[in-house]
């Protein structure tokens, strides 16, 4: 059975669960398990458990839960990771911990501006992550990012994956790992767990060198670059 791993049980995670329940009531929800990861045992999602929810909770630091769940083979290739917005650094930090476990080192690389027609681009507080968007407006809640943009009413001419792929080539970073969030059901998007497994395998066993990581939808992204090396100590 497929499992949906929902990162965060606060305002975003609990709203995703409400959408799941709506889908279930209408007979649209595939047979799945829902697992919420949160640091707070009293998070909002714990207060809204439905009688028919196939719901479980795991409490702790997000990166540590991912670390343990992948290590114990609990997260399967066909599972979905349901992120909250702005969680790109969570993926980066989790990968750093994966590398640490096998005595490897991930060091950040400063990236120049992405450009390429973006309407929004900002360097994050960590001075590493580049947040980018093709929108300079507030997107509708649970937007499924259709081909016809609900704000501009025009055909979308952009795709963040294409932009970041070309950007990586321009910067001569040949190794890229994209965590692409695509609409799954009732306005909720998910990332394939397979993308996490491939990136995990690389940082643990792949050849040293530079690589780029980006968590993204078709419209928005969070991107950083790293150098992977073996610990010489």
């Amino acid at each position: 059975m497929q499992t949906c791993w929902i990162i965060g049980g606060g305002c975003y995670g609990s709203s995703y669960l409400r959408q799941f329940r709506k889908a279930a009531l209408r007979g649209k929800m595939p047979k799945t398990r829902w697992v919420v990861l949160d640091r707070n045992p009293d998070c909002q999602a714990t207060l809204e458990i439905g009688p028919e929810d196939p719901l479980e909770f795991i409490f702790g630091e997000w990166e540590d839960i991912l670390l343990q769940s992948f290590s114990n083979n609990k997260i399967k290739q066909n599972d979905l990771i349901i992120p909250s917005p702005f969680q790109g650094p969570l993926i980066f930090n989790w990968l750093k911990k994966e590398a640490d476990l096998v005595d490897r080192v991930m060091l950040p690389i400063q990236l120049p501006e992405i450009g390429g027609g973006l309407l929004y681009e900002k360097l994050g507080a960590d001075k590493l992550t580049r947040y980018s968007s093709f929108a300079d407006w507030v997107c509708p809640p649970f937007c499924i990012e259709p081909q016809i943009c609900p704000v501009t009413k025009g055909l979308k001419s952009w795709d963040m994956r294409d932009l970041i792929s070309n950007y990586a080539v321009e910067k001569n970073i040949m190794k890229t790992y994209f965590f692409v969030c695509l609409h799954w059901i009732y306005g909720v998007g998910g990332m394939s767990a397979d993308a996490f497994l491939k990136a995990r395998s690389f940082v643990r066993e792949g050849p040293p060198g530079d690589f780029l990581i980006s968590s993204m939808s078709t419209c928005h992204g969070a991107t950083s670059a790293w150098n992977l090396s073996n610990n010489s100590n």
Side-chain angles (χ1 to χ4, degrees):
M1 182 189 301
Q2 188 179 45
T3 299
C4 297
W5 300 82
I6 303 169
I7 302 179
C11 59
Y12 289 110
S14 56
S15 68
Y16 299 157
L17 290 171
R18 289 182 214 118
Q19 294 302 104
F20 286 1
R21 293 183 190 108
K22 288 178 185 177
L25 284 172
R26 293 170 172 83
K28 303 293 185 182
M29 189 72 187
K31 190 173 183 180
T32 49
R33 290 171 61 237
W34 311 341
V35 180
V36 173
L37 320 181
D38 203 278
R39 293 173 291 191
N40 180 9
D42 299 315
C43 64
Q44 188 173 341
T46 63
L47 308 177
E48 302 179 8
I49 302 174
E52 304 298 326
D53 288 354
L55 181 60
E56 302 171 31
F57 290 89
I58 303 177
F59 299 111
E61 291 297 323
W62 292 320
E63 297 95 333
D64 293 338
I65 296 172
L66 288 176
L67 203 70
Q68 186 173 14
S69 297
F70 278 109
S71 177
N72 295 339
N73 201 31
K74 290 183 178 179
I75 300 180
K76 307 298 184 182
Q77 187 175 24
N78 71 327
D79 285 350
L80 284 177
I81 311 293
I82 312 291
S84 297
F86 313 116
Q87 285 192 338
L90 164 65
I91 297 174
F92 313 152
N93 292 334
W94 160 67
L95 283 174
K96 284 183 67 178
K97 289 193 173 188
E98 290 283 5
D100 288 344
L101 280 179
V102 291
D103 206 27
R104 308 195 84 186
V105 180
M106 277 174 57
L107 294 177
I109 299 171
Q110 292 297 320
L111 286 174
E113 285 189 1
I114 298 169
L118 291 169
L119 297 182
Y120 175 88
E121 182 174 357
K122 184 178 181 180
L123 190 63
D126 60 3
K127 304 301 181 185
L128 169 66
T129 308
R130 288 205 166 272
Y131 294 97
S132 54
S133 179
F134 286 107
D136 60 357
W137 52 82
V138 177
C139 295
F142 301 113
C143 180
I144 65 172
E145 298 189 352
Q147 279 301 106
I148 303 296
C149 175
V151 173
T152 67
K153 310 301 182 186
L155 186 67
K156 273 194 340 190
S157 59
W158 59 82
D159 189 297
M160 189 62 71
R161 182 164 186 158
D162 289 344
L163 176 67
I164 300 301
S165 294
N166 292 334
Y167 174 77
V169 172
E170 290 172 6
K171 304 308 173 190
N172 200 34
I173 303 176
M174 296 296 106
K175 202 72 176 175
T176 57
Y177 288 93
F178 294 162
F179 302 84
V180 184
C181 187
L182 298 175
H183 178 245
W184 184 56
I185 196 165
Y186 273 55
V188 178
M191 297 173 171
S192 168
D194 186 52
F196 286 72
L197 287 165
K198 287 176 178 175
R200 178 179 185 265
S201 176
F202 170 72
V203 300
R204 293 173 68 96
E205 303 170 4
D210 296 345
F211 68 106
L212 182 143
I213 311 171
S214 189
S215 70
M216 63 176 73
S217 65
T218 58
C219 300
H220 318 284
T223 304
S224 66
W226 301 81
N227 176 266
L228 177 68
S229 64
N230 298 316
N231 194 338
S232 58
N233 294 332

